Amino acid sequence: SQQGEEDPQALSIQEGENATMNCSYKTSINNLQWYRQNSGRGLVHLILIRSNEREKHSGRLRVTLDTSKKSSSLLITASRAADTASYFCATADAETGRRALTFGSGTRLQVQP
Amino acid sequence: NAGVTQTPKFRVLKTGQSMTLLCAQDMNHEYMYWYRQDPGMGLRLIHYSVGEGTTAKGEVPDGYNVSRLKKQNFLLGLESAAPSQTSVYFCASSPSRTSYGYTFGSGTRLTVV
């Protein structure tokens, strides 16, 4: 099944630095979403970018989408220790008609204070 | 607080036992989903529902059954638990198909021994 794959699997940075995570997927999509998961908790929706959009901002988050390369990136600027979490991309498949998101395996972000 | 509530939060089962996980949402969402998350992996879709009285299979439906008798509730049943079903189970809901972010519950950690 089509699935987003995040890269890198793990990322460790210092507080104040920027963190960039990438997601690749396999089929045409309607939209792509990013979620955060703190340890032992449920996922929290961060941002949604539609297939006809190229870039979207929300606070310290910047998401880009390149449908020709079937890839997306999530940039967190001026990271904080509280940003430590796993980040997942999820895609809404436009080809199979599946009415549910497909999630990638995630990037574990560690922000050192 | 509005959101998705999962019960129980933790459970240990013996192989062959059965149990039901309950998911309740108070946001009047049409769509509800059950995912499982295994260590170091993303979420895999078990079953989902596009409205009261409807259910559909996801990626990994074997060994599970679901029911959506009321719009606000989505039940996940394990008929005869197996060690391979040891996982963290997440319920989520959304207003529509895939055009909105999902709201997740906090998860049920299930261990089958």
Side-chain angles (χ1 to χ4, degrees), chain A residues 1 30-31 33 35 37 40-45 48 50 88 92-93 97-105 108, chain B residues 31 33 35 37 40-45 48 50 58-59 90 97-107 109:
Chain A
S1 62
N30 290 318
N31 65 65
Q33 303 179 27
Y35 288 78
Q37 183 181 35
R41 309 292 295 272
L43 279 72
V44 175
H45 179 253
L48 179 154
R50 304 187 192 284
F88 295 88
D93 193 337
R98 173 183 284 178
R99 301 183 188 182
L101 296 176
T102 301
F103 286 81
S105 53
R108 295 188 308 278
Chain B
Y31 287 66
Y33 316 85
Y35 287 87
Q37 184 177 35
M41 298 180 66
L43 279 69
R44 290 183 292 168
L45 181 68
Y48 63 99
V50 302
E59 298 175 65
F90 288 100
R97 180 175 160 174
T98 51
S99 299
Y100 295 86
Y102 288 5
T103 301
F104 278 84
S106 57
R109 185 173 297 276

Side-chain angles (χ1 to χ4, degrees), chain B:
Chain B
N1 292 335
V4 176
T5 302
Q6 291 184 235
T7 53
K9 295 189 185 305
F10 303 92
R11 185 73 183 267
V12 178
L13 283 181
K14 293 183 179 180
T15 298
Q17 286 185 321
S18 63
M19 78 164 293
T20 299
L21 282 67
L22 172 64
C23 177
Q25 54 96 1
D26 59 4
M27 298 169 287
N28 201 35
H29 286 172
E30 288 292 333
Y31 287 66
M32 297 187 74
Y33 316 85
W34 278 107
Y35 287 87
R36 60 177 287 173
Q37 184 177 35
D38 299 297
M41 298 180 66
L43 279 69
R44 290 183 292 168
L45 181 68
I46 305 171
H47 287 279
Y48 63 99
S49 169
V50 302
E52 181 178 314
T54 74
T55 62
K57 294 181 180 180
E59 298 175 65
V60 289
D62 294 342
Y64 305 95
N65 58 76
V66 288
S67 64
R68 183 109 181 261
L69 299 179
K70 293 183 178 181
K71 186 177 183 178
Q72 63 267 34
N73 296 335
F74 195 28
L75 278 63
L76 177 70
L78 283 72
E79 299 164 340
S80 179
S84 61
Q85 293 178 305
T86 293
S87 188
V88 181
Y89 292 85
F90 288 100
C91 176
S93 71
S94 66
S96 68
R97 180 175 160 174
T98 51
S99 299
Y100 295 86
Y102 288 5
T103 301
F104 278 84
S106 57
T108 294
R109 185 173 297 276
L110 175 66
T111 302
V112 183
V113 297

Side-chain angles (χ1 to χ4, degrees), chain A residues 6 18 26 29 35-36 38 40 44 50-52 55 60-62 67 73 77 81 83-84 89 91 98 107 111 113:
Chain A
E6 285 91 340
N18 295 341
K26 298 177 182 176
I29 60 172
Y35 288 78
R36 183 186 74 235
N38 290 92
V44 175
R50 304 187 192 284
S51 59
N52 61 353
E55 187 171 313
R60 293 185 296 113
L61 306 180
R62 173 178 170 257
T67 53
S73 67
T77 61
D83 294 328
T84 294
C89 68
T91 52
R98 173 183 284 178
T107 292
V111 181

Side-chain angles (χ1 to χ4, degrees), chain A residues 17-31:
Chain A
E17 293 181 338
N18 295 341
T20 300
M21 290 158 267
N22 302 296
C23 170
S24 60
Y25 56 91
K26 298 177 182 176
T27 67
S28 297
I29 60 172
N30 290 318
N31 65 65

